[in-house]
Amino acid sequence: MFCTIAAMRYILYPEIFTVMATHPAQSMFLGTFPMGLATIINMFCNVCVPAWGEGAAYFAWALWILDAVVSITTATTIPFIVMTRKSEIDLSSMTAAWLLPIVSCVVAAASAAVVAEVLPNAQYALWTIIVGYALWGMGVPLALMIMTIYLQRLLLHKLPPKAVVNPETRRMRKKDIPPDRIPPLSNMAFLRHRVAGQNETFPV
């Protein structure tokens, strides 16, 4: 429903999309679309594929391919737009939202393991895993770079204002962030865990 509302908004007022895509903060949230689709694909594989059979598996695979394409597009286009904007961005205005377009590739990579698990064709499953590792290799280095820059921002400019800090984050300030809150690392662990049980099904 919300995707339909957003699509109608940009169809009726196309000039708004250009403004949003070049905004230094709002454009980052475009990465949430492929991440949300990856979650839907995972649930589809776990619930619908066992009930509906082989056709549903290939439908989930097609959705994952779309998700991978959108993730790559988001991870490459949004940083490029930010770098080529005419107005400059201060380091103090940086937020953790800068990770969103990049982490979409890592989430799609983790979803590749779930999709490969339900594909009837072992060769297709192998190629899905290979592309998943390529997506992870594309997203993680960029995410680690952004995390380093964000650490520099925190060291030089202290914590962000209360208006941009999540209340839950403020409660967690005094203790370490658990590993499952770091998307590049947690999704890599998920990918390796799911792939480890499929090695025997792959053709040599």
Side-chain angles (χ1 to χ4, degrees):
M1 183 180 68
F2 291 106
C3 289
T4 303
I5 295 173
M8 290 299 298
R9 177 191 182 194
Y10 297 127
I11 290 173
L12 296 176
Y13 308 99
E15 65 278 1
I16 297 180
F17 183 81
T18 304
V19 176
M20 183 272 298
T22 56
H23 193 276
Q26 293 185 13
S27 59
M28 301 301 166
F29 290 92
L30 288 173
T32 60
F33 282 93
M35 285 192 283
L37 179 59
T39 304
I40 295 173
I41 293 171
N42 293 347
M43 182 57 66
F44 188 88
C45 291
N46 293 329
V47 177
C48 299
V49 172
W52 296 345
E54 184 175 315
Y58 284 112
F59 178 73
W61 189 42
L63 285 179
W64 177 81
I65 294 173
L66 174 64
D67 181 66
V69 171
V70 176
S71 298
I72 294 173
T73 303
T74 303
T76 54
T77 303
I78 299 304
F80 178 77
I81 292 175
V82 172
M83 288 186 289
T84 56
R85 290 177 69 253
K86 293 182 179 180
S87 57
E88 296 183 358
I89 301 176
D90 295 329
L91 181 62
S92 59
S93 65
M94 179 185 183
T95 66
W98 283 28
L99 278 170
L100 292 177
I102 308 300
V103 173
S104 61
C105 284
V106 186
V107 175
S111 183
V114 179
V115 175
E117 205 171 57
V118 300
L119 281 175
N121 189 306
Q123 190 66 47
Y124 291 164
L126 175 61
W127 279 108
T128 301
I129 292 298
I130 292 174
V131 174
Y133 273 114
L135 286 169
W136 187 89
M138 175 183 176
V140 168
L142 290 173
L144 293 178
M145 293 177 192
I146 293 177
M147 291 168 67
T148 303
I149 298 172
Y150 188 63
L151 176 61
Q152 181 189 20
R153 178 251 177 273
L154 293 177
L155 293 174
L156 296 179
H157 302 284
K158 307 307 178 185
L159 291 172
K162 292 182 179 180
V164 296
V165 176
N166 189 296
E168 181 182 357
T169 307
R170 291 206 301 271
R171 290 197 300 269
M172 296 173 57
R173 266 191 325 205
K174 296 183 179 180
K175 61 181 180 179
D176 295 333
I177 299 177
D180 62 345
R181 296 299 179 94
I182 306 177
L185 304 183
S186 61
N187 280 281
M188 178 55 181
F190 179 77
L191 175 63
R192 293 298 300 271
H193 171 71
R194 298 301 290 260
V195 172
Q198 302 182 46
N199 291 337
E200 297 180 358
T201 64
F202 294 152
V204 178

